[in-house]
PDB file of all heavy atoms in Angstrom:
ATOM      1  N   ALA L   1      27.886  13.413  40.114  1.00  0.00           N
ATOM      2  CA  ALA L   1      28.175  11.992  40.331  1.00  0.00           C
ATOM      3  C   ALA L   1      29.293  11.807  41.354  1.00  0.00           C
ATOM      4  O   ALA L   1      29.308  10.821  42.091  1.00  0.00           O
ATOM      5  CB  ALA L   1      28.545  11.319  39.012  1.00  0.00           C
ATOM      6  N   TYR L   2      30.198  12.755  41.424  1.00  0.00           N
ATOM      7  CA  TYR L   2      31.307  12.672  42.378  1.00  0.00           C
ATOM      8  C   TYR L   2      30.775  12.664  43.807  1.00  0.00           C
ATOM      9  O   TYR L   2      31.162  11.831  44.617  1.00  0.00           O
ATOM     10  CB  TYR L   2      32.263  13.848  42.166  1.00  0.00           C
ATOM     11  CG  TYR L   2      33.261  14.020  43.283  1.00  0.00           C
ATOM     12  CD1 TYR L   2      34.362  13.182  43.383  1.00  0.00           C
ATOM     13  CD2 TYR L   2      33.087  14.998  44.252  1.00  0.00           C
ATOM     14  CE1 TYR L   2      35.282  13.318  44.412  1.00  0.00           C
ATOM     15  CE2 TYR L   2      34.003  15.145  45.286  1.00  0.00           C
ATOM     16  CZ  TYR L   2      35.085  14.305  45.357  1.00  0.00           C
ATOM     17  OH  TYR L   2      35.989  14.443  46.372  1.00  0.00           O
ATOM     18  N   TYR L   3      29.903  13.591  44.135  1.00  0.00           N
ATOM     19  CA  TYR L   3      29.385  13.692  45.505  1.00  0.00           C
ATOM     20  C   TYR L   3      28.597  12.444  45.881  1.00  0.00           C
ATOM     21  O   TYR L   3      28.731  11.923  46.987  1.00  0.00           O
ATOM     22  CB  TYR L   3      28.533  14.951  45.666  1.00  0.00           C
ATOM     23  CG  TYR L   3      29.317  16.200  45.368  1.00  0.00           C
ATOM     24  CD1 TYR L   3      29.041  16.981  44.261  1.00  0.00           C
ATOM     25  CD2 TYR L   3      30.383  16.577  46.173  1.00  0.00           C
ATOM     26  CE1 TYR L   3      29.785  18.108  43.976  1.00  0.00           C
ATOM     27  CE2 TYR L   3      31.138  17.704  45.896  1.00  0.00           C
ATOM     28  CZ  TYR L   3      30.828  18.464  44.793  1.00  0.00           C
ATOM     29  OH  TYR L   3      31.578  19.571  44.510  1.00  0.00           O
ATOM     30  N   TYR L   4      27.780  11.963  44.951  1.00  0.00           N
ATOM     31  CA  TYR L   4      27.008  10.749  45.225  1.00  0.00           C
ATOM     32  C   TYR L   4      27.934   9.567  45.487  1.00  0.00           C
ATOM     33  O   TYR L   4      27.729   8.804  46.427  1.00  0.00           O
ATOM     34  CB  TYR L   4      26.070  10.443  44.055  1.00  0.00           C
ATOM     35  CG  TYR L   4      25.335   9.148  44.230  1.00  0.00           C
ATOM     36  CD1 TYR L   4      24.275   9.049  45.121  1.00  0.00           C
ATOM     37  CD2 TYR L   4      25.730   8.001  43.541  1.00  0.00           C
ATOM     38  CE1 TYR L   4      23.608   7.849  45.310  1.00  0.00           C
ATOM     39  CE2 TYR L   4      25.070   6.804  43.726  1.00  0.00           C
ATOM     40  CZ  TYR L   4      24.008   6.740  44.600  1.00  0.00           C
ATOM     41  OH  TYR L   4      23.362   5.552  44.789  1.00  0.00           O
ATOM     42  N   SER L   5      28.966   9.420  44.673  1.00  0.00           N
ATOM     43  CA  SER L   5      29.862   8.269  44.837  1.00  0.00           C
ATOM     44  C   SER L   5      30.659   8.355  46.131  1.00  0.00           C
ATOM     45  O   SER L   5      30.895   7.334  46.780  1.00  0.00           O
ATOM     46  CB  SER L   5      30.786   8.108  43.630  1.00  0.00           C
ATOM     47  OG  SER L   5      31.654   9.205  43.520  1.00  0.00           O
ATOM     48  N   VAL L   6      31.059   9.560  46.547  1.00  0.00           N
ATOM     49  CA  VAL L   6      31.782   9.704  47.815  1.00  0.00           C
ATOM     50  C   VAL L   6      30.876   9.324  48.975  1.00  0.00           C
ATOM     51  O   VAL L   6      31.274   8.568  49.871  1.00  0.00           O
ATOM     52  CB  VAL L   6      32.324  11.141  47.988  1.00  0.00           C
ATOM     53  CG1 VAL L   6      32.848  11.352  49.396  1.00  0.00           C
ATOM     54  CG2 VAL L   6      33.415  11.423  46.975  1.00  0.00           C
ATOM     55  N   ILE L   7      29.650   9.816  48.967  1.00  0.00           N
ATOM     56  CA  ILE L   7      28.694   9.502  50.034  1.00  0.00           C
ATOM     57  C   ILE L   7      28.421   8.002  50.064  1.00  0.00           C
ATOM     58  O   ILE L   7      28.458   7.372  51.124  1.00  0.00           O
ATOM     59  CB  ILE L   7      27.398  10.309  49.852  1.00  0.00           C
ATOM     60  CG1 ILE L   7      27.678  11.794  50.112  1.00  0.00           C
ATOM     61  CG2 ILE L   7      26.289   9.793  50.766  1.00  0.00           C
ATOM     62  CD1 ILE L   7      26.571  12.724  49.685  1.00  0.00           C
ATOM     63  N   ARG L   8      28.171   7.422  48.908  1.00  0.00           N
ATOM     64  CA  ARG L   8      27.896   5.978  48.824  1.00  0.00           C
ATOM     65  C   ARG L   8      29.076   5.176  49.352  1.00  0.00           C
ATOM     66  O   ARG L   8      28.899   4.235  50.132  1.00  0.00           O
ATOM     67  CB  ARG L   8      27.592   5.601  47.376  1.00  0.00           C
ATOM     68  CG  ARG L   8      27.196   4.140  47.211  1.00  0.00           C
ATOM     69  CD  ARG L   8      27.285   3.692  45.770  1.00  0.00           C
ATOM     70  NE  ARG L   8      28.677   3.821  45.341  1.00  0.00           N
ATOM     71  CZ  ARG L   8      29.048   4.207  44.136  1.00  0.00           C
ATOM     72  NH1 ARG L   8      28.160   4.517  43.228  1.00  0.00           N
ATOM     73  NH2 ARG L   8      30.329   4.299  43.823  1.00  0.00           N
ATOM     74  N   ASP L   9      30.298   5.562  48.975  1.00  0.00           N
ATOM     75  CA  ASP L   9      31.481   4.826  49.427  1.00  0.00           C
ATOM     76  C   ASP L   9      31.671   4.940  50.934  1.00  0.00           C
ATOM     77  O   ASP L   9      32.060   3.965  51.592  1.00  0.00           O
ATOM     78  CB  ASP L   9      32.727   5.315  48.691  1.00  0.00           C
ATOM     79  CG  ASP L   9      32.717   4.944  47.213  1.00  0.00           C
ATOM     80  OD1 ASP L   9      31.886   4.091  46.813  1.00  0.00           O
ATOM     81  OD2 ASP L   9      33.523   5.522  46.459  1.00  0.00           O
ATOM     82  N   LEU L  10      31.411   6.120  51.495  1.00  0.00           N
ATOM     83  CA  LEU L  10      31.490   6.281  52.950  1.00  0.00           C
ATOM     84  C   LEU L  10      30.502   5.358  53.653  1.00  0.00           C
ATOM     85  O   LEU L  10      30.835   4.693  54.636  1.00  0.00           O
ATOM     86  CB  LEU L  10      31.202   7.736  53.346  1.00  0.00           C
ATOM     87  CG  LEU L  10      32.276   8.765  53.062  1.00  0.00           C
ATOM     88  CD1 LEU L  10      31.728  10.181  53.247  1.00  0.00           C
ATOM     89  CD2 LEU L  10      33.475   8.548  53.961  1.00  0.00           C
ATOM     90  N   VAL L  11      29.285   5.317  53.137  1.00  0.00           N
ATOM     91  CA  VAL L  11      28.237   4.478  53.736  1.00  0.00           C
ATOM     92  C   VAL L  11      28.603   3.005  53.601  1.00  0.00           C
ATOM     93  O   VAL L  11      28.501   2.242  54.571  1.00  0.00           O
ATOM     94  CB  VAL L  11      26.875   4.781  53.086  1.00  0.00           C
ATOM     95  CG1 VAL L  11      25.818   3.777  53.525  1.00  0.00           C
ATOM     96  CG2 VAL L  11      26.433   6.195  53.431  1.00  0.00           C
ATOM     97  N   PHE L  12      29.036   2.591  52.419  1.00  0.00           N
ATOM     98  CA  PHE L  12      29.384   1.183  52.213  1.00  0.00           C
ATOM     99  C   PHE L  12      30.559   0.778  53.094  1.00  0.00           C
ATOM    100  O   PHE L  12      30.598  -0.327  53.618  1.00  0.00           O
ATOM    101  CB  PHE L  12      29.721   0.907  50.755  1.00  0.00           C
ATOM    102  CG  PHE L  12      28.521   0.856  49.849  1.00  0.00           C
ATOM    103  CD1 PHE L  12      28.681   0.822  48.484  1.00  0.00           C
ATOM    104  CD2 PHE L  12      27.224   0.834  50.343  1.00  0.00           C
ATOM    105  CE1 PHE L  12      27.591   0.769  47.630  1.00  0.00           C
ATOM    106  CE2 PHE L  12      26.121   0.791  49.504  1.00  0.00           C
ATOM    107  CZ  PHE L  12      26.314   0.757  48.142  1.00  0.00           C
ATOM    108  N   LYS L  13      31.522   1.679  53.257  1.00  0.00           N
ATOM    109  CA  LYS L  13      32.689   1.352  54.083  1.00  0.00           C
ATOM    110  C   LYS L  13      32.280   1.100  55.529  1.00  0.00           C
ATOM    111  O   LYS L  13      32.771   0.173  56.179  1.00  0.00           O
ATOM    112  CB  LYS L  13      33.700   2.501  54.015  1.00  0.00           C
ATOM    113  CG  LYS L  13      34.961   2.248  54.803  1.00  0.00           C
ATOM    114  CD  LYS L  13      35.916   3.411  54.655  1.00  0.00           C
ATOM    115  CE  LYS L  13      37.147   3.186  55.531  1.00  0.00           C
ATOM    116  NZ  LYS L  13      38.036   4.341  55.518  1.00  0.00           N
ATOM    117  N   ARG L  14      31.375   1.911  56.038  1.00  0.00           N
ATOM    118  CA  ARG L  14      30.984   1.791  57.443  1.00  0.00           C
ATOM    119  C   ARG L  14      29.922   0.713  57.682  1.00  0.00           C
ATOM    120  O   ARG L  14      29.929   0.026  58.687  1.00  0.00           O
ATOM    121  CB  ARG L  14      30.467   3.145  57.954  1.00  0.00           C
ATOM    122  CG  ARG L  14      29.781   3.137  59.318  1.00  0.00           C
ATOM    123  CD  ARG L  14      30.656   2.500  60.388  1.00  0.00           C
ATOM    124  NE  ARG L  14      30.021   2.463  61.676  1.00  0.00           N
ATOM    125  CZ  ARG L  14      29.216   1.490  62.106  1.00  0.00           C
ATOM    126  NH1 ARG L  14      28.912   0.479  61.334  1.00  0.00           N
ATOM    127  NH2 ARG L  14      28.710   1.525  63.314  1.00  0.00           N
ATOM    128  N   PHE L  15      28.991   0.559  56.762  1.00  0.00           N
ATOM    129  CA  PHE L  15      27.826  -0.287  57.004  1.00  0.00           C
ATOM    130  C   PHE L  15      27.836  -1.586  56.206  1.00  0.00           C
ATOM    131  O   PHE L  15      26.792  -2.152  55.927  1.00  0.00           O
ATOM    132  CB  PHE L  15      26.535   0.490  56.714  1.00  0.00           C
ATOM    133  CG  PHE L  15      26.331   1.636  57.649  1.00  0.00           C
ATOM    134  CD1 PHE L  15      26.669   2.924  57.264  1.00  0.00           C
ATOM    135  CD2 PHE L  15      25.839   1.424  58.918  1.00  0.00           C
ATOM    136  CE1 PHE L  15      26.488   3.986  58.130  1.00  0.00           C
ATOM    137  CE2 PHE L  15      25.662   2.481  59.797  1.00  0.00           C
ATOM    138  CZ  PHE L  15      25.986   3.763  59.403  1.00  0.00           C
ATOM    139  N   THR L  16      28.999  -2.082  55.847  1.00  0.00           N
ATOM    140  CA  THR L  16      29.095  -3.367  55.169  1.00  0.00           C
ATOM    141  C   THR L  16      28.805  -4.479  56.170  1.00  0.00           C
ATOM    142  O   THR L  16      29.343  -4.482  57.268  1.00  0.00           O
ATOM    143  CB  THR L  16      30.493  -3.553  54.557  1.00  0.00           C
ATOM    144  OG1 THR L  16      30.662  -2.555  53.564  1.00  0.00           O
ATOM    145  CG2 THR L  16      30.651  -4.913  53.919  1.00  0.00           C
ATOM    146  N   ARG L  17      27.934  -5.391  55.772  1.00  0.00           N
ATOM    147  CA  ARG L  17      27.550  -6.477  56.672  1.00  0.00           C
ATOM    148  C   ARG L  17      28.125  -7.785  56.139  1.00  0.00           C
ATOM    149  O   ARG L  17      27.508  -8.459  55.333  1.00  0.00           O
ATOM    150  CB  ARG L  17      26.022  -6.583  56.755  1.00  0.00           C
ATOM    151  CG  ARG L  17      25.328  -5.382  57.360  1.00  0.00           C
ATOM    152  CD  ARG L  17      25.536  -5.285  58.862  1.00  0.00           C
ATOM    153  NE  ARG L  17      25.246  -6.500  59.574  1.00  0.00           N
ATOM    154  CZ  ARG L  17      24.083  -6.779  60.157  1.00  0.00           C
ATOM    155  NH1 ARG L  17      23.107  -5.915  60.118  1.00  0.00           N
ATOM    156  NH2 ARG L  17      23.923  -7.913  60.787  1.00  0.00           N
ATOM    157  N   LYS L  18      29.305  -8.131  56.577  1.00  0.00           N
ATOM    158  CA  LYS L  18      29.938  -9.366  56.117  1.00  0.00           C
ATOM    159  C   LYS L  18      29.197 -10.597  56.636  1.00  0.00           C
ATOM    160  O   LYS L  18      29.181 -11.639  56.002  1.00  0.00           O
ATOM    161  CB  LYS L  18      31.397  -9.383  56.537  1.00  0.00           C
ATOM    162  CG  LYS L  18      32.225  -8.333  55.819  1.00  0.00           C
ATOM    163  CD  LYS L  18      33.680  -8.407  56.217  1.00  0.00           C
ATOM    164  CE  LYS L  18      34.506  -7.426  55.463  1.00  0.00           C
ATOM    165  NZ  LYS L  18      34.331  -6.051  55.849  1.00  0.00           N
ATOM    166  N   ASP L  19      28.567 -10.450  57.801  1.00  0.00           N
ATOM    167  CA  ASP L  19      27.835 -11.583  58.360  1.00  0.00           C
ATOM    168  C   ASP L  19      26.590 -11.917  57.548  1.00  0.00           C
ATOM    169  O   ASP L  19      26.083 -13.021  57.610  1.00  0.00           O
ATOM    170  CB  ASP L  19      27.454 -11.311  59.820  1.00  0.00           C
ATOM    171  CG  ASP L  19      26.555 -10.099  59.962  1.00  0.00           C
ATOM    172  OD1 ASP L  19      26.789  -9.102  59.256  1.00  0.00           O
ATOM    173  OD2 ASP L  19      25.635 -10.148  60.793  1.00  0.00           O
ATOM    174  N   LYS L  20      26.094 -10.975  56.757  1.00  0.00           N
ATOM    175  CA  LYS L  20      24.912 -11.217  55.922  1.00  0.00           C
ATOM    176  C   LYS L  20      25.293 -11.720  54.536  1.00  0.00           C
ATOM    177  O   LYS L  20      24.434 -11.967  53.708  1.00  0.00           O
ATOM    178  CB  LYS L  20      24.089  -9.934  55.782  1.00  0.00           C
ATOM    179  CG  LYS L  20      23.557  -9.393  57.072  1.00  0.00           C
ATOM    180  CD  LYS L  20      22.417 -10.220  57.570  1.00  0.00           C
ATOM    181  CE  LYS L  20      21.842  -9.594  58.826  1.00  0.00           C
ATOM    182  NZ  LYS L  20      20.783 -10.355  59.393  1.00  0.00           N
ATOM    183  N   GLY L  21      26.585 -11.799  54.268  1.00  0.00           N
ATOM    184  CA  GLY L  21      27.038 -12.321  52.980  1.00  0.00           C
ATOM    185  C   GLY L  21      26.911 -11.346  51.829  1.00  0.00           C
ATOM    186  O   GLY L  21      26.857 -11.752  50.681  1.00  0.00           O
ATOM    187  N   CYS L  22      26.829 -10.063  52.136  1.00  0.00           N
ATOM    188  CA  CYS L  22      26.766  -9.092  51.044  1.00  0.00           C
ATOM    189  C   CYS L  22      27.882  -8.068  51.228  1.00  0.00           C
ATOM    190  O   CYS L  22      28.307  -7.792  52.348  1.00  0.00           O
ATOM    191  CB  CYS L  22      25.406  -8.401  50.987  1.00  0.00           C
ATOM    192  SG  CYS L  22      24.979  -7.478  52.452  1.00  0.00           S
ATOM    193  N   ALA L  23      28.336  -7.521  50.136  1.00  0.00           N
ATOM    194  CA  ALA L  23      29.468  -6.600  50.191  1.00  0.00           C
ATOM    195  C   ALA L  23      29.044  -5.199  50.601  1.00  0.00           C
ATOM    196  O   ALA L  23      29.823  -4.457  51.154  1.00  0.00           O
ATOM    197  CB  ALA L  23      30.152  -6.548  48.835  1.00  0.00           C
ATOM    198  N   ALA L  24      27.809  -4.826  50.343  1.00  0.00           N
ATOM    199  CA  ALA L  24      27.374  -3.466  50.650  1.00  0.00           C
ATOM    200  C   ALA L  24      25.933  -3.492  51.135  1.00  0.00           C
ATOM    201  O   ALA L  24      25.142  -4.329  50.723  1.00  0.00           O
ATOM    202  CB  ALA L  24      27.496  -2.595  49.417  1.00  0.00           C
ATOM    203  N   ASN L  25      25.617  -2.577  51.995  1.00  0.00           N
ATOM    204  CA  ASN L  25      24.281  -2.490  52.554  1.00  0.00           C
ATOM    205  C   ASN L  25      23.518  -1.386  51.815  1.00  0.00           C
ATOM    206  O   ASN L  25      23.582  -0.217  52.177  1.00  0.00           O
ATOM    207  CB  ASN L  25      24.373  -2.209  54.055  1.00  0.00           C
ATOM    208  CG  ASN L  25      23.072  -2.470  54.762  1.00  0.00           C
ATOM    209  OD1 ASN L  25      22.013  -2.412  54.156  1.00  0.00           O
ATOM    210  ND2 ASN L  25      23.163  -2.750  56.041  1.00  0.00           N
ATOM    211  N   TYR L  26      22.783  -1.771  50.781  1.00  0.00           N
ATOM    212  CA  TYR L  26      22.109  -0.806  49.922  1.00  0.00           C
ATOM    213  C   TYR L  26      20.945  -0.114  50.613  1.00  0.00           C
ATOM    214  O   TYR L  26      20.610   1.021  50.273  1.00  0.00           O
ATOM    215  CB  TYR L  26      21.650  -1.476  48.623  1.00  0.00           C
ATOM    216  CG  TYR L  26      22.825  -1.841  47.751  1.00  0.00           C
ATOM    217  CD1 TYR L  26      23.369  -3.118  47.767  1.00  0.00           C
ATOM    218  CD2 TYR L  26      23.417  -0.890  46.935  1.00  0.00           C
ATOM    219  CE1 TYR L  26      24.462  -3.442  46.991  1.00  0.00           C
ATOM    220  CE2 TYR L  26      24.512  -1.200  46.149  1.00  0.00           C
ATOM    221  CZ  TYR L  26      25.031  -2.475  46.177  1.00  0.00           C
ATOM    222  OH  TYR L  26      26.108  -2.783  45.410  1.00  0.00           O
ATOM    223  N   GLU L  27      20.322  -0.770  51.591  1.00  0.00           N
ATOM    224  CA  GLU L  27      19.231  -0.126  52.311  1.00  0.00           C
ATOM    225  C   GLU L  27      19.732   1.098  53.067  1.00  0.00           C
ATOM    226  O   GLU L  27      19.092   2.141  53.091  1.00  0.00           O
ATOM    227  CB  GLU L  27      18.561  -1.104  53.291  1.00  0.00           C
ATOM    228  CG  GLU L  27      17.805  -2.232  52.628  1.00  0.00           C
ATOM    229  CD  GLU L  27      18.701  -3.405  52.248  1.00  0.00           C
ATOM    230  OE1 GLU L  27      19.875  -3.433  52.665  1.00  0.00           O
ATOM    231  OE2 GLU L  27      18.212  -4.273  51.525  1.00  0.00           O
ATOM    232  N   VAL L  28      20.900   0.969  53.683  1.00  0.00           N
ATOM    233  CA  VAL L  28      21.472   2.097  54.413  1.00  0.00           C
ATOM    234  C   VAL L  28      21.878   3.198  53.435  1.00  0.00           C
ATOM    235  O   VAL L  28      21.683   4.388  53.704  1.00  0.00           O
ATOM    236  CB  VAL L  28      22.669   1.653  55.286  1.00  0.00           C
ATOM    237  CG1 VAL L  28      23.312   2.834  55.982  1.00  0.00           C
ATOM    238  CG2 VAL L  28      22.222   0.616  56.296  1.00  0.00           C
ATOM    239  N   ALA L  29      22.421   2.820  52.287  1.00  0.00           N
ATOM    240  CA  ALA L  29      22.797   3.814  51.277  1.00  0.00           C
ATOM    241  C   ALA L  29      21.567   4.588  50.813  1.00  0.00           C
ATOM    242  O   ALA L  29      21.623   5.817  50.656  1.00  0.00           O
ATOM    243  CB  ALA L  29      23.479   3.139  50.092  1.00  0.00           C
TER     244      ALA L  29
END
């Protein structure tokens, strides 16, 4: 679970789309 959460957090940090009104981009994750 640690590795998955680190990868997910890296992706969310970089690919967050504030212009779309969502906090995280789950498709990219």
Side-chain angles (χ1 to χ4, degrees):
Y2 167 77
Y3 301 112
Y4 175 75
S5 65
V6 170
I7 291 168
R8 184 196 62 217
D9 292 346
L10 286 168
V11 171
F12 285 170
K13 182 179 176 185
R14 169 54 181 87
F15 295 99
T16 296
R17 296 287 310 265
K18 292 182 177 73
D19 61 320
K20 299 286 184 182
C22 61
N25 195 335
Y26 291 96
E27 292 84 10
V28 177

